[in-house]
Amino acid sequence: MRISIVGGGFAGLAAAQLAEEVTADVRLYDKGAYSGNRRGAWGEMVWDYSQLPLDRHVPGYVRESNTGIFVGSSGKTAVNVPDGVILNRGELEKHWAGTLERTEITENAEVDEAEFRRLSAESDLLIDATGQFPISSRFTPLSYDVACPTLSGRIEADFSHLYPEPRALAYENYFLWIVPQSPEEATVGLGCRDDKSPSELYEDMQQLLAEIDIEPPEREALHSGTDVSNGLRSLSHCSYELNDCTVHIAGDAIGLANRLTGFGMVHAAQSGRAAVSAFVQGESYKRRLLCQNFWTKAVTGVASPIHHSIGLDGIARLAKSDIEYQESFEPQQPADILHAVRTFI
Ligand SMILES: Cc1cc2nc3c(=O)[nH]c(=O)nc-3n(C[C@H](O)[C@H](O)[C@H](O)COP(=O)(O)OP(=O)(O)OC[C@H]3O[C@@H](n4cnc5c(N)ncnc54)[C@H](O)[C@@H]3O)c2cc1C
């Protein structure tokens, strides 16, 4: 039995790890390489690390972090993060790929539509783990209820006043986060529910970082992305047939990330494993995903249609309704985000 996996992030790596246990013929293709600075740019906070099929204290595991500072329009509070961990994602993925001794890994291999078809003809199971811009969108209908443009990067600056807690701010249209890796370095990102261009987002980020006395990085040092989230309905397309081969879509490619929970990486890994186990056991992959992600997907599914009216802050309040805020203020204008940012530190 051949299992081919396209995309070697958390979803693809977790799929390969499990696939190795059931067959000797596993192939993994990634358009990037595991060497070098693979991915130091995205958020690196994980809730519930024990859900990942990885040991602790491996390269890329930075430290435990069980408290996060969350700021919404109602104020600032410390949030308990169960089994929270800060990762260096690039290091961790490199280490993880290195543990896959029986998987044939092809790096720097961008799989296009023709190649994907060819792989399907040669495989029993083909897993699409290509992330935010999935190749499967050419073969099956996929849409995202929430696709939030993001700009993020690793910044070297004095973060000693913020270290060690990660911080997230959900306010009006923005979602800003700072995850200190050390007192001198942090992953900083900004998401926006409006359809802003990277240069517009960069201007906003400059303003917000200046407010907390952090020198903004050069635009080139930042990565543009999109934080994808789907409601439950999207899962109808998580599996399809191509050339008599079963294709399962895992991770961000099927919109499992949820920017408000910090479970993107965990959900990606869980779905990668489910993509393999459901196939091997002859069970419905969609059913597996629904069982694993029902609560998160339901919250996203319910929140998505109304998020345009209540904004990110509203969703955050909904998701964190049990938070007891310690300070409060009443924002009147969008410009009050600056006030909120001051609360941030
Ligand atoms: C700015 C930002 C911040 C985030 N912060 C957090 C956070 O703090 N905590 C958290 O848990 N989640 C966070 N997330 C979500 C998290 O990053 C994703 O949910 C997770 O990375 C999804 O893993 P994945 O394996 O599905 O996709 P990815 O990690 O995107 O991996 C996809 C892989 O596919 C490869 N690929 C793509 N196309 C092709 C192709 N055609 N051929 C070959 N290879 C291809 C890519 O090179 C990549 O390695 C964040 C997301 C963003 C955008």
Side-chain angles (χ1 to χ4, degrees), residues 5-14 28-34 38-39 41-47 52 85 87 89 93 106 108-113 115-116 119 128-135 138 148-153 175 177 179 187-191 223-228 250-259 261-269 271-272:
I5 301 153
V6 182
F10 271 53
L13 290 165
L28 176 70
Y29 303 84
D30 197 280
K31 69 178 178 188
Y34 289 105
R38 179 170 160 80
R39 188 153 26 209
W42 289 1
E44 298 181 306
M45 172 87 216
V46 165
W47 295 41
L52 287 173
V85 161
L87 299 177
R89 223 194 268 207
E93 289 183 354
T106 311
N108 300 313
E110 180 153 10
V111 172
D112 61 13
E113 200 173 320
E115 179 68 0
F116 197 76
L119 290 175
D128 176 359
T130 50
Q132 301 165 2
F133 306 102
I135 193 156
R138 324 237 177 111
C148 165
T150 58
L151 200 60
S152 59
F175 192 57
W177 67 92
V179 181
T187 307
V188 175
L190 182 67
H223 296 246
S224 302
T226 178
D227 201 351
V228 288
D252 267 12
I254 194 65
L256 284 173
N258 183 326
R259 73 194 118 126
T261 61
F263 282 115
M265 287 179 261
V266 167
H267 285 166
S271 63

Side-chain angles (χ1 to χ4, degrees), residues 136-333:
S136 283
S137 59
R138 324 237 177 111
F139 302 99
T140 192
L142 288 173
S143 65
Y144 302 103
D145 295 333
V146 180
C148 165
T150 58
L151 200 60
S152 59
R154 188 74 67 81
I155 298 180
E156 285 182 25
D158 180 10
F159 290 102
S160 52
H161 57 308
L162 302 182
Y163 184 82
E165 282 99 4
R167 277 146 209 266
L169 175 146
Y171 189 81
E172 295 281 327
N173 296 339
Y174 293 95
F175 192 57
L176 174 73
W177 67 92
I178 298 184
V179 181
Q181 295 270 336
S182 71
E184 298 87 35
E185 195 176 27
T187 307
V188 175
L190 182 67
C192 181
R193 79 180 169 118
D194 292 338
D195 194 15
K196 291 210 172 195
S197 69
S199 53
E200 288 170 319
L201 219 46
Y202 182 54
E203 280 176 27
D204 295 341
M205 184 186 257
Q206 283 178 307
Q207 198 186 359
L208 295 173
L209 289 180
E211 188 63 23
I212 47 176
D213 295 326
I214 292 173
E215 178 85 17
E218 296 294 316
R219 168 69 190 88
E220 298 71 49
L222 297 169
H223 296 246
S224 302
T226 178
D227 201 351
V228 288
S229 241
N230 274 342
L232 286 166
R233 66 180 175 78
S234 65
L235 294 183
S236 1
H237 302 290
C238 66
S239 181
Y240 61 98
E241 296 287 315
L242 190 64
N243 286 326
D244 290 331
C245 169
T246 299
V247 182
H248 285 173
I249 314 174
D252 267 12
I254 194 65
L256 284 173
N258 183 326
R259 73 194 118 126
L260 294 173
T261 61
F263 282 115
M265 287 179 261
V266 167
H267 285 166
Q270 286 177 334
S271 63
R273 290 176 72 84
V276 174
S277 60
F279 178 78
V280 172
Q281 290 160 14
E283 289 179 4
S284 158
Y285 174 48
K286 180 179 162 189
R287 195 161 174 278
R288 282 271 168 109
L289 288 185
L290 279 172
C291 292
Q292 276 177 358
N293 297 286
F294 185 78
W295 174 237
T296 318
K297 298 293 284 178
V299 168
T300 314
V302 169
S304 294
I306 51 170
H307 104 282
H308 280 291
S309 53
I310 65 173
L312 282 174
D313 184 50
I315 298 177
R317 268 182 283 144
L318 205 69
K320 305 278 178 193
S321 54
D322 56 337
I323 286 176
E324 236 179 73
Y325 289 103
Q326 294 160 352
E327 302 166 22
S328 62
F329 55 87
E330 287 300 321
Q332 306 295 331
Q333 307 284 341

